[in-house]
Amino acid sequence: MLALLSDEQQMLKEVAAQIAGSAGPSNPSDLNTVDRAAAWRSLAQAGLLALRTRDDDGRPVGSGVEVAVVAEALGAGLVPVPYLGSAVLATELLALAGAHDEAEALSEGDARTTVLLDRHLSALAVLPGEQVYAWDADGAADALALTAGPDGHQVVRVSLDTGFVPATGADLTRTLLRSDGPIDEARLTPVGRPLSAEALLRWEALALTVISADIVGVMRAAVARAVAYTKERVQYGVLIGSFQAVQHLCAEAYVQAEASASATNYAAWAVDELDVAEALMAARTAKTQAALVAREVTETVMQVFGGIGQTYEHIAHVHTRRALTDRQVLGDEGVQLPRIADVRLTGE
């Protein structure tokens, strides 16, 4: 799908890329020194944390396309800030629940909230009970989850100050916390009004789309790094980019990344423009495509870099780690494909 951005969206893309370029690591050791607070302030000052708050007419300030543009840029830069967790997933939940003041507070950048996922990271957590994970939780004081009730699902807030411990995850650019046991009802604070079934599905469509956009950014940047390397690395007296085997590897990785970008572009447009069932179908398709190729593309990049690409000191594995974790969050292709099949075969 050919995506044409408006002049404003093109400017947004350039601003996000500039911030990502200054805040992302060039090697893994930079993750210990990068000024994450400065990057977060830059996003807040540019208004990028407010895209899913609502205007006076109740519409999102930024469309699904605009949020996906920012998510892809930050994914490409491997920027270690909780944009998806706080500025998109949590803010959208608050807005859908009618907690607009709390969503506005997140957009100012002084407070951060993320979401709780189930123990497989494949769904938003439904409490009380079960062990949960707070994903993309850097600097977050609390996290949002759901409870089931007669009027629908209720958004609830859980403090991360107690009962959570750092968890070791593959992604070096995001913070993952694990609850040290089931979450009991006494720790839950209701937020806003209960969500309708349609609102919850709309949230899922947006969430799957922006995670797919992050994967696309990671893959595109990784392939670009690899192609640039083939134009400077010499073996046997010639550039390695002159070898047909290397050309095929890069070409295949490029095609797979661009196929994911195409599906994600359509899903991003669908978030606000199609009815919720079609928007969610587009989002599941985008997540499936991106999840299917995320590992192959980023591992191909590591192969192109040769021996140095297998070392911890090189940036290549940081791409792979972020892509693999994104792949799992809210469900990989093994989760999405059966749900797509259910809708196509049974209409439900």
Side-chain angles (χ1 to χ4, degrees):
M1 176 184 179
L2 176 62
L4 298 176
L5 301 179
S6 67
D7 291 344
E8 290 79 9
Q9 289 168 340
Q10 187 61 41
M11 291 175 61
L12 175 68
K13 181 177 181 178
E14 292 169 2
V15 169
Q18 287 177 358
I19 296 173
S22 63
S26 57
N27 61 69
S29 64
D30 287 345
L31 290 169
N32 298 321
T33 59
V34 66
D35 191 342
R36 302 179 187 215
W40 195 247
R41 283 196 302 273
S42 296
L43 291 170
Q45 290 167 358
L48 304 188
L49 304 184
L51 293 180
R52 291 313 288 189
T53 59
R54 300 305 195 253
D55 62 18
D56 293 340
D57 297 325
R59 296 172 177 270
V61 171
S63 69
V65 172
E66 287 150 6
V67 177
V69 163
V70 177
E72 181 180 336
L74 298 181
L78 302 172
V79 181
V81 297
Y83 182 74
L84 296 189
S86 184
V88 184
L89 275 60
T91 298
E92 181 74 1
L93 264 183
L94 292 170
L96 289 170
H100 297 296
D101 289 345
E102 296 180 50
E104 291 283 350
L106 292 185
S107 72
E108 295 171 1
D110 296 326
R112 302 182 193 180
T113 295
T114 189
V115 292
L116 294 180
L117 304 179
D118 68 11
R119 62 190 179 92
H120 302 294
L121 305 185
S122 62
L124 192 60
V126 179
L127 302 175
E130 80 169 324
Q131 188 174 61
V132 296
Y133 286 85
W135 173 72
D136 208 11
D138 183 51
D142 46 38
L144 304 177
L146 301 172
T147 58
D151 299 323
H153 284 92
Q154 173 70 50
V155 178
V156 292
R157 186 185 298 277
V158 180
S159 173
L160 299 177
D161 289 342
T162 58
F164 284 84
V165 296
T168 301
D171 187 355
L172 300 180
T173 64
R174 288 194 173 104
T175 299
L176 185 67
L177 303 177
R178 173 176 54 80
S179 67
D180 57 9
I183 307 294
D184 60 52
E185 195 165 355
R187 296 173 59 187
L188 309 182
T189 302
V191 179
R193 60 176 179 264
L195 297 177
S196 66
E198 179 176 338
L200 194 54
L201 294 177
R202 187 71 72 180
W203 178 87
E204 188 175 5
L206 175 69
L208 290 171
T209 298
V210 293
I211 295 168
S212 301
D214 195 274
I215 297 174
V216 168
V218 170
M219 291 193 297
R220 278 178 157 173
V223 172
R225 284 179 189 268
V227 171
Y229 184 70
T230 67
K231 297 176 181 177
E232 63 185 37
R233 174 65 170 158
V234 174
Q235 283 282 10
Y236 309 112
V238 297
L239 294 170
I240 64 171
S242 64
F243 300 142
Q244 193 174 54
V246 175
Q247 293 171 4
H248 284 175
L249 284 173
C250 292
E252 185 64 23
Y254 177 83
V255 168
Q256 290 175 330
E258 291 308 303
S260 300
S262 181
T264 301
N265 289 340
Y266 178 71
W269 169 81
V271 164
D272 299 310
E273 299 296 333
L274 296 183
D275 69 56
V276 66
E278 287 301 316
L280 184 55
M281 178 63 74
R284 292 197 189 285
T285 303
K287 184 68 193 298
T288 297
Q289 175 63 34
L292 273 170
V293 302
R295 179 172 182 169
E296 183 175 348
V297 168
T298 54
E299 288 189 346
T300 293
V301 167
M302 294 176 71
Q303 290 180 44
V304 172
F305 277 108
I308 194 172
Q310 316 307 309
T311 64
Y312 186 85
E313 289 75 16
H314 197 271
I315 195 67
H317 70 90
V318 182
H319 287 273
T320 304
R321 287 166 175 267
R322 181 155 170 153
L324 290 180
T325 303
D326 279 351
R327 177 176 181 259
Q328 189 172 354
V329 172
L330 295 185
D332 60 11
E333 70 276 15
V335 172
Q336 306 304 331
L337 282 172
R339 294 178 182 175
I340 292 173
D342 285 344
V343 173
R344 291 304 186 210
L345 296 175
T346 69
E348 297 180 357

